[in-house]
Amino acid sequence: MKSMKRREVSLQAGAVLIEAAAVITIFLVMSLGMAQQYAVVMAELRHHAIATEVLLGPQERSLSLNAADGSVSMLCDPGEDGCVGGVTTPTMTEYLDEIGNFFLSRADTSTTLGVRLGYLESHTWNYALGVSNADVGEAKSVQLNGQTKYYRKVGATTCTNQMLQAEIDSFATTFLTKMLNYKVEGTTPQIGIKLYKVRISDVDYQDFMDFLPVGFGILCTEAFDFLFPQTAITIFPIVPKRLTR
Amino acid sequence: MIFHRVNQFSRKVASISYFGLSADRLHYKLAGKFQLLPWREWGLSHKSCMLRTGSYVYPAYHKDEGVALVLTALLIPVLLFICAILFDLSRIYINAIYAEEVSLLVLKIASSSEPLGFTPRNSDMDRFVHAPAGEDESITLKRKNFLENKLEEIDRPQYAEKERLILNLSYGALHFLSPDTYFPIPEPLSNGSSAFSELAGRVNCSLYFTYGTYGGTEAPPSPFPGVADADYLVELQKQRDRIFHVDCAVPLVSSRLFGGLLGQQYLELKRESYARHSGNLCSSTVAGCTS
């Protein structure tokens, strides 16, 4: 009888012990999970702050102007494929570095920035067509030939270029393709950069720049690993502050 | 009377089971054993009971009662401490977001070439104060002197027109986003428990700026050229970069309750944003110099 009672008490003590262990484990997991979420959300909030500073910070010209004929072209680096007019001033690298160096002066060591510049090519005035230029200013094609440059203060990072490249490529392509295919009630709106619109003898003449530049940035903060590795990534479009001047 | 209550309680829980132990059995055990336990044996040591009764069950209740009391005595402060820590953490989290939002808003206002708003006079800069009602005058004076002290730190005789406009709009935004936040932080803030009372137990925030020098942008020279100097107007008209700082002092309830267990009575949160080319140093009183 005694031994039965003793066994019952030890069983109860064991159950309490297991219960206590389970509660402590759950509490720890919950605390770590919340801490991780807190850290990731705070990192993402910091990303928005950096992105805003970058957007309002210094920028180079995003289009190259040929003063001789007034034409504009996409920025191009030496040796880059697809450069119609050759190396431009500024080069694509100079444009990206202007943003990247400002980022490096502001961001903390755990954050990486990737920047690239894309273009939406627009239909321009076709003199051969005369007044029947119905598609002037409408988007013609997406141009995403330029490189993506990455800026970080540390060498080794969990935010690798390979990982970020896929993300920013996907975002940029989707973003520009949506702009390309944008329609309003079956009509295609003009979304390029308007140069002029004049009416001469009841005929409207208008022209647009060949390219509409749209930048893209990706911010990544080192993985938080309280429970499992989780990186904070923020992708954002950059509206260039400067065109040809 | 106590045994009667225990009986009642154990009957109430009889409809539920607990860790596989039948509720009826639990009732039986609780009721039966407490009734069997004589009054005079309460307070006897575990060992003496063992000797007297030869049973391990009865003394276990003596022991359990004591342990439960000790545990409760220990647990209540621990729970209070956890609650206070959670409260503090939530407050820190919310105010970290708040400070970041305010600094971003200031950045946007400052980056605008012509923000729309009222520009206060230089003599009104000590009015950017939101203090609790009935606050000690010496503490309010510390708040009033804040912007004047910051002006000395950036080595300028007075705030420029656009700076006054930005500060007015920014303090307005700070107050609009959280009307319960007092500003600015009394400076210098006292040490120890006095800090908590100077902050009035609430979050206090300060907003000010310093000049940035990224990419060769010049900060105002020191000493600044005099009005009669030929360089005076040139220096006034140069675009300046500004770094806007939002510092918030969050009082820690856990530290207050548990006597400075964490070493300090408040936590300082600092956020800043860099506003490039955010205006010159002109004032409408200077001829030929406009913001």
Side-chain angles (χ1 to χ4, degrees):
Chain A
M1 189 65 180
K2 260 185 192 175
S3 67
M4 273 180 72
K5 278 183 178 175
R6 197 168 284 138
R7 193 175 298 138
E8 200 172 297
V9 168
S10 1
L11 273 172
Q12 282 179 13
V16 168
L17 203 68
I18 291 167
E19 186 194 26
V23 165
I24 290 168
T25 309
I26 290 169
F27 181 74
L28 268 176
V29 169
M30 277 174 63
S31 304
L32 288 172
M34 282 181 72
Q36 179 149 335
Q37 286 310 304
Y38 168 85
V40 170
V41 167
M42 287 310 284
E44 283 172 352
L45 180 69
R46 192 74 206 117
H47 285 180
H48 284 287
I50 296 169
T52 309
E53 282 192 35
V54 164
L55 288 173
L56 297 171
Q59 283 184 26
E60 258 293 354
R61 289 161 289 167
S62 54
L63 284 167
S64 176
L65 174 71
N66 183 342
D69 62 3
S71 66
V72 294
S73 55
M74 296 183 286
L75 299 186
C76 231
D77 277 329
E80 188 183 317
D81 293 336
C83 288
V84 181
V87 180
T88 56
T89 306
T91 61
M92 179 66 91
T93 303
E94 284 168 343
Y95 174 84
L96 301 177
D97 282 349
E98 187 78 359
I99 294 174
N101 292 334
F102 179 67
F103 161 80
L104 288 176
S105 76
R106 295 292 305 152
D108 51 36
T109 48
S110 63
T111 312
T112 299
L113 170 74
V115 203
R116 75 173 307 178
L117 185 62
Y119 294 91
L120 205 62
E121 192 178 4
S122 300
H123 289 281
T124 53
W125 184 266
N126 187 332
Y127 291 92
L129 287 176
V131 292
S132 62
N133 280 279
D135 59 359
V136 174
E138 289 174 7
K140 192 202 286 184
S141 65
V142 168
Q143 303 289 337
L144 266 170
N145 306 321
Q147 61 164 331
T148 306
K149 273 198 86 175
Y150 293 93
Y151 302 87
R152 57 175 71 89
K153 285 181 180 169
V154 288
T157 173
T158 48
C159 297
T160 60
N161 293 6
Q162 292 75 18
M163 180 181 83
L164 300 179
Q165 190 67 56
E167 299 246 12
I168 195 169
D169 282 351
S170 164
F171 182 82
T173 309
T174 310
F175 194 97
L176 289 175
T177 308
K178 272 193 177 173
M179 285 177 80
L180 177 71
N181 299 325
Y182 184 62
K183 288 195 183 338
V184 180
E185 292 171 4
T187 62
T188 308
Q190 297 166 317
I191 55 170
I193 302 160
K194 188 181 277 183
L195 289 170
Y196 62 82
K197 183 172 183 177
V198 291
R199 172 166 284 204
I200 302 168
S201 306
D202 287 339
V203 178
D204 286 333
Y205 296 90
Q206 56 180 338
D207 206 1
F208 283 70
M209 276 192 181
D210 292 83
F211 301 101
L212 169 71
V214 184
F216 299 95
I218 185 164
L219 284 160
C220 177
T221 297
E222 291 284 312
F224 298 97
D225 197 1
F226 301 141
L227 277 180
F228 52 88
Q230 188 181 5
T231 45
I233 293 177
T234 306
I235 312 177
F236 57 98
I238 299 170
V239 179
K241 283 165 72 179
R242 300 173 66 188
L243 296 173
T244 57
R245 296 169 69 87
Chain B
M1 189 62 181
I2 289 171
F3 302 142
H4 176 66
R5 290 220 171 138
V6 169
N7 269 321
Q8 279 186 322
F9 171 74
S10 59
R11 279 198 184 98
K12 275 182 188 169
V13 298
S15 56
I16 54 167
S17 64
Y18 179 70
F19 286 103
L21 183 70
S22 149
D24 286 338
R25 276 184 68 198
L26 182 71
H27 166 228
Y28 167 76
K29 279 179 174 239
L30 283 172
K33 281 161 191 172
F34 270 99
Q35 278 164 1
L36 282 170
L37 199 67
W39 258 114
R40 62 179 176 277
E41 287 190 14
W42 280 73
L44 290 176
S45 74
H46 173 78
K47 206 170 179 182
S48 61
C49 272
M50 285 280 279
L51 288 170
R52 282 186 65 183
T53 62
S55 161
Y56 68 93
V57 178
Y58 295 172
Y61 280 98
H62 287 278
K63 191 182 162 194
D64 284 355
E65 282 291 319
V67 168
L69 272 173
V70 173
L71 273 179
T72 309
L74 281 173
L75 209 59
I76 287 173
V78 169
L79 282 175
L80 270 175
F81 184 64
I82 290 172
C83 288
I85 289 276
L86 286 175
F87 177 78
D88 284 343
L89 284 175
S90 316
R91 218 178 191 190
I92 290 166
Y93 178 66
I94 289 165
N95 283 287
I97 295 170
Y98 170 68
E100 193 84 78
E101 289 289 343
V102 171
S103 79
L104 282 181
L105 210 54
V106 181
L107 166 65
K108 288 170 195 169
I109 292 168
S111 298
S112 167
S113 56
E114 287 182 56
L116 194 64
F118 172 72
T119 308
R121 288 172 301 179
N122 261 306
S123 55
D124 288 340
M125 297 308 282
D126 60 355
R127 291 194 180 185
F128 293 113
V129 170
H130 178 48
E135 187 182 58
D136 191 273
E137 213 168 287
S138 62
I139 303 170
T140 310
L141 193 65
K142 280 186 180 183
R143 294 184 194 271
K144 282 185 174 179
N145 289 339
F146 177 81
L147 281 176
E148 200 64 35
N149 294 341
K150 290 294 167 193
L151 196 58
E152 282 173 25
E153 283 178 25
I154 55 174
D155 212 6
R156 294 279 302 129
Q158 59 183 30
Y159 289 105
E161 191 130 321
K162 189 175 179 190
E163 290 167 349
R164 279 179 273 137
L165 172 60
I166 293 169
L167 284 171
N168 187 25
L169 290 171
S170 306
Y171 270 105
L174 190 142
H175 183 61
F176 175 77
L177 286 175
S178 175
D180 291 335
T181 300
Y182 295 138
F183 58 80
I185 301 169
E187 195 177 274
L189 200 56
S190 304
N191 295 322
S193 58
S194 311
F196 197 92
S197 54
E198 282 190 5
L199 296 170
R202 278 209 201 152
V203 178
N204 283 231
C205 290
S206 293
L207 203 155
Y208 60 99
F209 66 85
T210 50
Y211 292 105
T213 54
Y214 178 78
T217 307
E218 293 172 40
S222 177
F224 202 76
V227 182
D229 202 318
D231 288 338
Y232 178 67
L233 208 58
V234 177
E235 286 297 337
L236 280 183
Q237 284 177 315
K238 279 182 187 168
Q239 281 286 322
R240 310 286 173 176
D241 290 2
R242 291 173 182 83
I243 304 169
F244 287 91
H245 304 263
V246 179
D247 296 352
C248 288
V250 183
L252 297 173
V253 175
S254 50
S255 209
R256 178 77 173 163
L257 284 178
F258 297 91
L261 204 63
L262 303 174
Q264 63 184 86
Q265 296 281 319
Y266 65 93
L267 185 91
E268 206 168 0
L269 295 169
K270 287 174 182 280
R271 293 290 184 272
E272 62 174 48
S273 56
Y274 194 100
R276 181 127 170 103
H277 292 170
S278 51
N280 57 24
L281 300 174
C282 281
S283 176
S284 56
T285 54
V286 181
C289 184
T290 49
S291 297

